[in-house]
Amino acid sequence: MKNIPYIITAILIVLAGIFALLNRVWAGFVYFVLSFLLLLSIFWAVWLIIEYFTTFKRELDESFKLYRADTINSKEVSAQQFDANIPVYKKQFNRKILKVKLVKWGIVIFCFAVAVAFLVGMILY
């Protein structure tokens, strides 16, 4: 399951490369190249969104457990005090993780921007 995006990426890049070479024969093959690259960027955007809502959410839960253990070990906080103030610690944890979330969503937005660029390229060519 984890190799699927790489297999699809390789297939789409090979197809785009073949049609880019065939572009010398007929100029209309450029639309195939742009459409394969458009599909590739949309695929990666959707794949990253799915990964965000499945794997990344589980990773955040595990990271919060590590944050809890680190907070209890490094500060003068007992487990009972931490459990009593979970909303406060969740808020602090979310502030620390905000940068990671923004980077992940920035990558998704970049993939959609590349897809739009290929679509505009298809329209204007």
Side-chain angles (χ1 to χ4, degrees):
M1 180 73 174
K2 67 179 181 178
N3 292 332
I4 290 175
Y6 303 114
I7 293 169
I8 291 175
T9 300
I11 291 171
L12 288 174
I13 287 176
V14 167
L15 286 173
I18 290 171
F19 283 107
L21 292 174
L22 289 174
N23 187 27
R24 296 177 186 167
V25 176
W26 179 52
F29 282 125
V30 74
Y31 291 108
F32 290 103
V33 174
L34 291 173
S35 64
F36 285 130
L37 294 175
L38 172 73
L39 287 173
L40 181 64
S41 60
I42 290 174
F43 167 76
W44 271 103
V46 170
W47 182 263
L48 290 173
I49 290 172
I50 291 169
E51 283 290 309
Y52 178 82
F53 286 115
T54 57
T55 308
F56 186 66
K57 291 293 185 176
R58 276 188 259 127
E59 289 175 7
L60 285 181
D61 292 339
E62 292 297 320
S63 295
F64 184 72
K65 290 177 185 176
L66 292 174
Y67 175 75
R68 179 182 184 270
D70 186 45
T71 303
I72 291 172
N73 289 335
S74 67
K75 297 181 181 177
E76 298 290 329
V77 178
S78 67
Q80 292 82 15
Q81 290 172 336
F82 187 91
D83 292 338
N85 295 319
I86 282 185
V88 173
Y89 290 111
K90 274 275 197 192
K91 195 173 194 179
Q92 289 175 355
F93 177 72
N94 285 336
R95 278 192 218 132
K96 288 177 77 172
I97 298 298
L98 182 63
K99 181 180 176 185
V100 175
K101 287 182 180 179
L102 289 177
V103 167
K104 290 211 178 268
W105 282 108
I107 293 170
V108 170
I109 290 170
F110 175 76
C111 289
F112 280 123
V114 169
V116 168
F118 287 130
L119 184 63
V120 169
M122 289 173 67
I123 293 169
L124 295 179
Y125 184 74

